[in-house]
Amino acid sequence: MTIRRSGRARLVVLLIRHSLSLAVTCLVALAPAAAADALRIGLTQYPPTLNPSIDAAVAKTYVLAMTRRPFTVYDADWKLVCMLCTELPSIENRLAVPFDKPDGTRGVRLTYTIQPGATWGDGVPLTTEDVEFTWEVGRNPQSGVASAELYRRITGIEIKDAKTFTMIFDKLTFDYGAINDFEVLPAHLERAAFSDPAQYRIRTRYDTDPTNPGLYFGPYRISEVANGSFIVLTANPSWWGRKPAFPRIEIYAIENTAALEANLLSGGLDMVAGELGLSLDQAIAFEKRHGDRFAIVTKPGLSYEHVDLNFDNPILADVRVRQALLTGIDRTAISRQLFDGRQLVADGFVSPLDRVFAKDIRHYDYDPMKARALLDDAGWRVGVGGMRSDATGTRLALDFATTAGNRTRELVQQVLQAQWRQLGIDVRIRNEPARILFGQSLARRRFTMAMFAWVTSPENVPRSMLHSSEIPREANGWGGENFPGFRNPEADALIDKIEVELDESRRAAIWQRLQEIYAEQLPELPLYYRSDSFVLPKWLKGVRPTGHQYPTGLWVEDWRRGDAAAAAR
Amino acid sequence: MIRFLGLRAVEILVVLVIMSFVIYALIGLMPGDPIDLMITANPKLTAADIVRLKAVYGIDQPLMGRYLAWLRNILQGDLGFSRLYSQPSVTILLPRLGNSALLMGTSFVLALAIGLPAGIAAARRPHSLLDHAINFACFAGISVPSFWLALMLILVFAVALGWLPAGGLATIGDGGFVDRIQHLVLPVATLTLASIGGYTRFMRSAMAEALRQDFIRTARAKGAGERRVVLHHALRNAMIPVVTIVALSFGTLFSGALITETMFAYPGMGKLIFDSVMGNDYNLALAGLLFATLVTLLANLAADVAYAWLDPRITYR
């Protein structure tokens, strides 16, 4: 009996083993070959909406960059260029005509001509009717358009013909030609959805019918969407520009970066976008392990990491303490040790790569002796255990927050904490999830010190970050991003002046003074300019990281195969 | 029995209403609202934009008013609009439910199919080599973190061997049966390996307890064969505590597995619920959480009914 059971058991084991082996063989044999004509890109987020005007998410900007074109944009060399228009308006070419307003300020009339070949994917020409409709949507308070400032500043649009129009702006600013955020919408498809403006964000065809070719006019159009998973782009036959090299682009949302790397290595992905991909330290580690297979391209950008200091805190209200905090940290060593020296140390809020960067402002090299002297001078004396306190016995203790779970920031934060502790400052880490830090602590100014990054554009006027009118408070609906509560009448006046100063050299002088004030007063502790890391296959050529918020995909038609295989094709 | 079922149905309804308010209030009490989160992604939003958007999204209304409006819509069969996906919540939920049911259901069946017989085998020969081996495997399965297991499986089967895809639901442009199976293998293996241990240990302990009972000795004394003693007499009694555990686990079939779904970029309910809670997407979070609650309550009801079938001494009036 026992012998019979053992024999049966062996038979069962044998059967299971053969079945498993057969199953694996079948699965492997039937594995579909990766589409050779598709470029597969990994992102760590999925766009919350595909409507170009509603919400503002990097993932959406990335996807739409390949399917649409802004009128104007900053290119990879940080120069303002036309994309959907034929010529940038300027006072010199008389396409920009300033005029005086009754209140003594100046407005401007800007004339643009739409690219003659610009056509929606369903063959309908892109015309001034679409421009007018977009303005109508943008300025309607119920439409759900996220940033309506640009649409509010346009006081009128005059139509010349089907392709030419003039926009009338209520304010003449130095960057008057830039209408980068004017996201043209297809009137022939979206007008019905806009019949009830309050329902537009729910009814927009970008979300109810996202594969409709008539919604797109770029080199690609969206042909397949799986919410939360992937988006497929196919070449748009009605695209007027250079034909893109890849008939298909597949964009996958893979949130976990370890899974993202695994997909790269297994061939599930060709590349990871720098705009929403691996952090620099992850990319450096990946390069060390797999640099033979992938090209890691990094570009220092305009987004800069910094520590916001709350001026309502009596300790931080003293400029000597703020200066001591910055002098007491070795940012060069942090960049070298953690980021292979690939992140530029920041001395202010303007990147050294920006044309308005001022060189001769106050620099804060690592000097712990000087930092100690500043703290002594501010009345913070070293006491028991090497920690500092003032004459009343109050300890020099500060809470320090950043986004919990962001490994890179947490690492930098620990280094900063250790360096400040050596000065006798008791820094307590109080990290919070991003939604709490940004949604509550910063927005309501309930923080002491907080580390995060600002993403900016070339010659970005820091009104929302430094102007006193932008301090979040209940009266303004907790709007504005001047989280430190920085109030400086001279800085306010300079910011107001920069916006309307057309003369480049005079504007440079204003920028210089503003950066000097920042460097003296330190409303924030600038750390370094972040570098985006692109993980690219070695055969892919033509991807040029921009370093600002306008993504590489705006030039997707330049992306090409550059290997021997491409030559054979 | 009918009266019992009727009363339980009323209880379920009351629990769902209470839970809906509790969940709504808890999400409402979380710091930051959807517009606060939008500000962080768009520094160009002005104070006027913020006030306008809060009105457009109805966030400027008191929490109770918003909850009652939501409840009214639910009673009319409208689950609301998902802010995170810009789609009706039901359009997002249904495919995710199907994906989760497939992933979790497959691993659930596999875990039971392997775990219960393994538990019985271990209980039949306590402290034998087989028992030790099964226990070792169980503790290994329980102890290994699922994210690590998932990563190892990806590295071995997707990266090193290249046999299986590293993640996703299906290959774009394919999505056939074999392709779906290929994409399921690794996440199912992760979940199954992580949950087998628990079922095996429960089954082992319940069966070992049952096999020590007097009626088992009586059955053997009456000459019943070992197979009949184990499967007919002991198993039926041992199943009562196991059914409770299985019923509780059944609720998770539709609430998903957050870590496994994240690691394999698998679009299931776990990730959806997590993202909707973190993103302040009330409609989606509520629909997902309430559905998971409903399934758990129904599974427990089914377990109560199963008790009566397994043990004739249990009756419901």
Side-chain angles (χ1 to χ4, degrees):
Chain A
M1 186 71 173
T2 312
I3 293 168
R4 273 180 60 205
R5 266 215 301 269
S6 298
R8 202 188 304 160
R10 271 203 300 273
L11 185 66
V12 169
V13 169
L14 213 65
L15 272 173
I16 291 172
R17 192 188 295 164
H18 280 282
S19 305
L20 281 174
S21 163
L22 189 67
V24 168
T25 310
C26 287
L27 286 171
V28 175
L30 291 168
D37 56 353
L39 179 68
R40 290 157 302 169
I41 305 173
L43 293 182
T44 51
Q45 275 177 23
Y46 186 85
T49 171
L50 291 171
N51 185 296
S53 297
I54 296 170
D55 213 325
V58 179
K60 182 191 78 172
T61 312
Y62 187 84
V63 172
L64 291 185
M66 302 182 193
T67 64
R68 311 166 41 81
R69 288 290 182 259
F71 273 102
T72 60
V73 78
Y74 290 103
D75 66 9
D77 299 318
W78 301 7
K79 287 196 180 94
L80 189 68
V81 294
C82 255
M83 289 200 111
L84 183 55
C85 52
T86 54
E87 190 177 3
L88 267 183
S90 69
I91 294 169
E92 292 74 30
N93 67 16
R94 303 178 67 81
L95 292 174
V97 181
F99 63 90
D100 293 324
K101 286 167 47 187
D103 62 1
T105 59
R106 298 177 85 195
V108 64
R109 299 163 63 87
L110 301 170
T111 300
Y112 296 90
T113 300
I114 301 168
Q115 287 278 354
T119 308
W120 296 101
D122 55 3
V124 175
L126 196 157
T127 67
T128 44
E129 188 195 343
D130 299 311
V131 173
E132 255 191 323
F133 171 71
T134 303
W135 180 50
E136 192 185 339
V137 174
R139 69 198 166 119
N140 190 303
Q142 290 184 300
S143 64
V145 166
S147 181
E149 180 63 17
L150 173 68
Y151 301 105
R152 270 197 300 269
R153 284 179 47 210
I154 301 168
T155 57
I157 294 181
E158 293 167 0
I159 305 297
K160 299 271 165 59
D161 55 44
K163 290 288 184 184
T164 305
F165 62 96
T166 298
M167 282 178 170
I168 303 158
F169 280 84
D170 66 348
K171 191 172 179 182
L172 175 63
T173 58
F174 72 88
D175 56 348
Y176 57 82
I179 52 168
N180 306 359
D181 299 328
F182 192 92
E183 299 283 3
V184 67
L185 301 167
H188 67 292
L189 292 178
E190 287 287 88
R191 198 178 287 285
F194 189 64
S195 57
D196 177 1
Q199 294 293 310
Y200 177 63
R201 69 187 175 87
I202 293 170
R203 292 182 182 167
T204 172
R205 293 185 78 164
Y206 282 97
D207 293 323
T208 58
D209 184 20
T211 55
N212 189 318
L215 297 168
Y216 312 101
F217 60 93
Y220 290 91
R221 60 184 177 81
I222 292 176
S223 57
E224 194 179 345
V225 168
N227 268 311
S229 295
F230 62 80
I231 291 174
V232 180
L233 311 176
T234 46
N236 180 5
S238 67
W239 164 243
W240 74 82
R242 185 185 182 196
K243 193 180 171 197
F246 300 95
R248 277 161 68 87
I249 290 184
E250 299 169 0
I251 299 174
Y252 295 84
I254 301 173
E255 191 176 323
N256 184 280
T257 49
L260 207 57
E261 286 187 23
N263 273 277
L264 273 173
L265 296 173
S266 68
L269 292 176
D270 293 314
M271 61 174 277
V272 173
E275 288 87 347
L276 264 180
L278 302 182
S279 62
L280 182 61
D281 58 324
Q282 287 170 328
I284 290 168
F286 187 83
E287 186 178 31
K288 283 177 184 155
R289 284 178 280 126
H290 308 290
D292 54 331
R293 287 178 58 192
F294 295 93
I296 313 297
V297 179
T298 55
K299 171 153 181 170
L302 281 166
S303 64
Y304 74 106
E305 285 283 337
H306 64 278
V307 181
D308 263 17
L309 307 172
N310 193 333
F311 279 38
D312 290 351
N313 183 300
I315 297 172
L316 295 173
D318 188 333
V319 69
R320 291 167 296 185
V321 174
R322 302 199 295 271
Q323 290 174 346
L325 285 171
L326 191 55
T327 312
I329 54 174
D330 192 350
R331 293 168 294 164
T332 308
I334 292 172
S335 177
R336 191 176 58 242
Q337 295 295 330
L338 299 183
F339 308 115
D340 213 15
R342 296 192 213 185
Q343 305 220 105
L344 294 172
V345 170
D347 278 315
F349 62 94
V350 179
S351 162
L353 303 175
D354 200 329
R355 61 175 176 268
V356 295
F357 173 72
K359 279 184 198 154
D360 43 351
I361 56 167
R362 181 167 179 169
H363 297 277
Y364 291 85
D365 293 327
Y366 178 53
D367 188 346
M369 292 295 289
K370 192 173 173 185
R372 286 191 183 94
L374 281 163
L375 291 173
D376 288 341
D377 190 38
W380 298 101
R381 302 284 171 180
V382 177
V384 184
M387 303 314 281
R388 291 176 184 267
S389 49
D390 66 6
T392 65
T394 306
R395 275 169 72 87
L396 180 49
L398 298 164
D399 287 347
F400 187 16
T402 191
T403 43
N406 183 319
R407 206 162 52 90
T408 309
R409 281 197 183 132
E410 286 174 342
L411 209 57
V412 172
Q413 189 184 34
Q414 285 162 22
V415 176
L416 297 182
Q417 182 194 36
Q419 293 185 343
W420 283 328
R421 186 169 280 275
Q422 284 172 2
L423 301 178
I425 306 170
D426 181 13
V427 173
R428 293 164 301 200
I429 290 177
R430 298 267 193 270
N431 289 345
E432 297 168 343
R435 58 165 293 152
I436 296 176
L437 181 69
F438 294 116
Q440 194 76 20
S441 303
L442 282 166
R444 303 288 191 272
R445 303 190 60 235
R446 293 177 194 147
F447 71 100
T448 306
M449 299 199 297
M451 177 165 60
F452 61 99
W454 282 127
V455 182
T456 64
S457 51
E459 200 167 350
N460 181 59
V461 181
R463 172 174 287 278
S464 66
M465 296 177 277
L466 297 179
H467 200 282
S468 61
S469 64
E470 297 289 327
I471 298 171
R473 53 188 182 278
E474 198 162 6
N476 66 3
W478 301 105
E481 279 88 38
N482 184 347
F483 300 131
F486 178 62
R487 287 181 183 83
N488 186 299
E490 188 186 355
D492 286 354
L494 291 169
I495 289 168
D496 292 339
K497 265 191 203 168
I498 285 177
E499 285 179 340
V500 294
E501 179 54 68
L502 302 188
D503 184 273
E504 210 164 298
S505 59
R506 280 204 294 270
R507 204 164 66 245
I510 304 172
W511 272 110
Q512 165 88 23
R513 179 63 195 137
L514 187 60
Q515 289 171 79
E516 283 169 3
I517 293 173
Y518 179 96
E520 287 295 329
Q521 293 299 314
L522 292 180
E524 313 158 334
L525 305 180
L527 297 178
Y528 43 79
Y529 293 96
R530 261 194 351 210
S531 288
D532 288 337
S533 324
F534 294 75
V535 183
L536 306 173
K538 293 210 161 172
W539 48 259
L540 183 63
K541 307 294 174 196
V543 180
R544 286 190 70 200
T546 64
H548 50 65
Q549 83 269 42
Y550 300 105
T552 46
L554 285 168
W555 295 272
V556 67
E557 61 270 36
D558 296 337
W559 297 6
R560 290 275 182 270
R561 282 183 175 271
D563 59 359
R569 287 155 71 92
Chain B
M1 179 62 106
I2 291 172
R3 186 165 174 269
F4 166 75
L5 290 176
L7 280 173
R8 286 296 295 269
V10 173
E11 273 178 34
I12 287 173
L13 203 63
V14 171
V15 170
L16 282 177
V17 172
I18 294 170
M19 281 301 291
S20 71
F21 180 72
V22 170
I23 295 168
Y24 203 99
L26 285 177
I27 298 176
L29 289 173
M30 285 170 71
D33 61 39
I35 308 305
D36 289 332
L37 299 179
M38 214 184 272
I39 296 167
T40 62
N42 186 0
K44 289 180 183 169
L45 282 183
T46 62
D49 286 331
I50 291 159
V51 173
R52 175 179 54 82
L53 288 170
K54 289 199 176 186
V56 167
Y57 284 83
I59 299 163
D60 55 347
Q61 301 297 314
L63 189 74
M64 196 63 195
R66 278 187 278 155
Y67 171 71
L68 291 174
W70 174 84
L71 203 58
R72 268 196 302 276
N73 290 338
I74 283 288
L75 293 175
Q76 291 163 9
D78 179 7
L79 288 180
F81 194 78
S82 162
R83 192 190 65 81
L84 280 184
Y85 293 90
S86 300
Q87 300 280 332
S89 297
V90 71
T91 311
I92 302 296
L93 272 175
L94 289 180
R96 299 287 187 123
L97 273 173
N99 295 343
S100 274
L102 182 64
L103 171 66
M104 305 290 287
T106 311
S107 65
F108 183 69
V109 169
L110 275 175
L112 288 181
I114 300 168
L116 298 190
I120 294 168
R124 279 186 63 203
R125 294 185 181 82
H127 311 299
S128 66
L129 189 63
L130 177 71
D131 184 29
H132 288 308
I134 289 173
N135 276 337
F136 177 78
C138 287
F139 288 125
I142 293 167
S143 315
V144 170
S146 55
F147 73 87
W148 183 84
L149 181 61
L151 203 56
M152 289 303 110
L153 289 175
I154 291 172
L155 287 177
V156 173
F157 292 100
V159 177
L161 300 172
W163 289 357
L164 294 163
L169 189 64
T171 305
I172 295 177
D174 186 333
F177 178 73
V178 175
D179 184 63
R180 287 294 299 270
I181 298 288
Q182 285 174 329
H183 282 80
L184 266 179
V185 171
L186 294 184
V188 163
T190 305
L191 285 171
T192 306
L193 290 172
S195 55
I196 281 177
Y199 292 133
T200 307
R201 294 290 302 163
F202 274 116
M203 192 67 238
R204 181 192 177 280
S205 106
M207 183 56 100
E209 180 63 27
L211 287 170
R212 279 197 294 269
Q213 299 298 313
D214 289 346
F215 64 87
I216 296 294
R217 197 168 57 234
T218 306
R220 283 189 175 129
K222 284 164 72 179
E226 189 63 17
R227 177 187 293 267
R228 184 170 173 78
V229 168
V230 171
L231 297 182
H232 188 74
H233 295 282
L235 181 61
R236 203 158 170 178
N237 282 275
M239 280 305 286
I240 292 174
V242 176
V243 161
T244 310
I245 299 301
V246 170
L248 286 172
S249 307
F250 193 78
T252 63
L253 289 188
F254 297 95
S255 55
L258 174 63
I259 294 171
T260 308
E261 287 171 13
T262 305
M263 292 304 295
F264 291 101
Y266 187 89
M269 287 292 286
K271 189 77 177 63
L272 185 78
I273 292 173
F274 177 79
D275 286 344
S276 55
V277 170
M278 294 311 286
N280 248 326
D281 192 341
Y282 284 83
N283 292 334
L284 199 54
L286 275 162
L289 286 168
L290 287 179
F291 190 82
T293 309
L294 177 67
V295 172
T296 307
L297 292 170
L298 289 176
N300 276 282
L301 178 62
D304 285 345
V305 174
Y307 294 154
W309 176 73
L310 288 166
D311 187 347
R313 290 169 300 179
I314 299 172
T315 55
Y316 297 109
R317 289 176 193 150

